[in-house]
Amino acid sequence: MDVELPSEASLDEVFTLAQGLLTGETNRIANLANLAALLGQYLPRINWAGFYLAEAGTGDWVLGPFWGKPACTRIPSGQGVVGTALASGTSLIVPDVHEFPGHIACDAASRSEIVVPIRDPSQVVVAGIDVDSPWPDRFGPPERAFLEALANRLGTLWSEWHGYDERV
Ligand code: SME
């Protein structure tokens, strides 16, 4: 892969960069790992960006590729910001995580958070994008629109992708 990255980028530019990173690779972990790194590099004032993936059988949301400090590996459906957003199937912005009952603190520095569901082509929520910031009220309509556009793109590609031990 030959990707030349700018030193700064607007949300529109990050989306374009993401589309470039997703071209030509169908391994799910590889693609999500690069996207987590991209979000970590280009979203200012954040301390964590990554993915939680649905686990067949348990219904838990399990840690996927991310950028930031080590995080909680498993979030039961309906719990925390992640489990709440993904159970409801809608994006959730929490302006101050200290005010969110049941917030799961993976990094004590986190103060605000956004979680956006990823739906596969049959509309099943298969994963979520989670981004945390050390600043309260960091996320608003521009970040929501950007992450929802990214989630739509990922959801469309999802069923064309495979893991390390399976082939489409
Ligand atoms: N704060 C999340 C847990 C995941 S971390 O922020 C990476 C929650 O309450 O679900």
Side-chain angles (χ1 to χ4, degrees):
M1 189 181 63
D2 185 18
V3 181
E4 200 152 318
L5 295 171
S7 54
E8 289 182 16
S10 67
L11 290 177
D12 282 349
E13 288 165 336
V14 179
F15 188 75
T16 303
L17 291 169
Q19 303 222 68
L21 286 177
L22 294 171
T23 303
E25 177 53 64
T26 54
N27 183 286
R28 184 173 290 119
I29 302 293
N31 283 329
L32 296 182
N34 260 346
L35 288 182
L38 191 77
L39 296 177
Q41 179 165 357
Y42 287 114
L43 298 189
R45 299 192 298 135
I46 68 166
N47 60 328
W48 201 90
F51 299 90
Y52 278 90
L53 280 64
E55 182 177 66
T58 60
D60 289 348
W61 302 102
V62 178
L63 183 64
F66 67 94
W67 171 92
K69 287 188 179 172
C72 317
T73 54
R74 182 174 293 274
I75 299 177
S77 180
Q79 293 190 20
V81 181
V82 169
T84 302
L86 300 185
S88 76
T90 53
S91 301
L92 180 58
I93 292 176
V94 178
D96 185 347
V97 297
H98 295 170
E99 306 285 324
F100 186 90
H103 168 252
I104 300 166
C106 299
D107 181 346
S110 295
R111 286 299 306 277
S112 57
E113 181 163 358
I114 180 168
V115 177
V116 173
I118 299 172
R119 292 176 180 277
D120 74 5
S122 59
Q123 294 306 302
V124 174
V125 179
V126 288
I129 309 173
D130 182 17
V131 186
D132 289 16
S133 170
W135 278 266
D137 210 14
R138 163 68 182 86
F139 306 107
E143 290 76 23
R144 178 180 177 146
F146 161 71
L147 291 174
E148 287 182 348
L150 187 59
N152 280 341
R153 186 80 195 110
L154 297 181
T156 304
L157 294 167
W158 202 263
S159 50
E160 297 169 20
W161 289 351
H162 59 83
Y164 287 106
D165 54 359
E166 44 174 310
R167 290 289 178 271
V168 283

